[in-house]
Amino acid sequence: MMNLYREFILDHYKNPRNYGEMETPDIQYQEGNPLCGDEIQIALKLKDGVVEDVKFKGHGCAISMASTSILTEMIKGKSLDEVKKIGKDEMLQALYIPIGPTRLKCALLGLKVLKAGVYGIHEWPGEEEDK
Ligand code: FES
């Protein structure tokens, strides 16, 4: 069963969903993991406060890219308030495989970029993994 879940992650890594550039995003934010240099940019198109479209791009390890790809699928059609409520546990559950402490930052990089973008970097209450 675990193999199936690993396949799921690998599939998202090799065929990332919603990957690419967005022409005129309403929200766009980019940040990296300073420890490894991986970078992710997430762009959102909103309509009436709801995520109508999302794109991401960047470079990173399999876990960071796959988790961001999965995250983009999770947030399409959600309101910004709902997006703000997505927490660390929900993100980790969506990956289906156990994530050890050393890969936690990888698994949460996309969520961190998304939250900073959605809250606005100055309003953001803090990193998910710190809570
Ligand atoms: Fe850089 Fe995973 S090794 S985010």
Side-chain angles (χ1 to χ4, degrees), residues 32-33 35-40 59-65 102-103 105-107 109:
N33 178 347
L35 298 176
C36 61
D38 292 353
E39 289 270 340
I40 288 178
H59 58 92
C61 62
I63 298 285
S64 69
M65 298 311 275
T102 53
R103 307 312 302 272
K105 278 205 186 297
C106 307
L109 181 61

Side-chain angles (χ1 to χ4, degrees), residues 1-9 95-98:
M1 204 58 178
M2 196 49 84
N3 275 349
L4 206 65
Y5 294 141
R6 282 190 207 288
E7 283 299 313
F8 170 71
I9 295 286
L95 302 182
Y96 292 112
I97 57 165

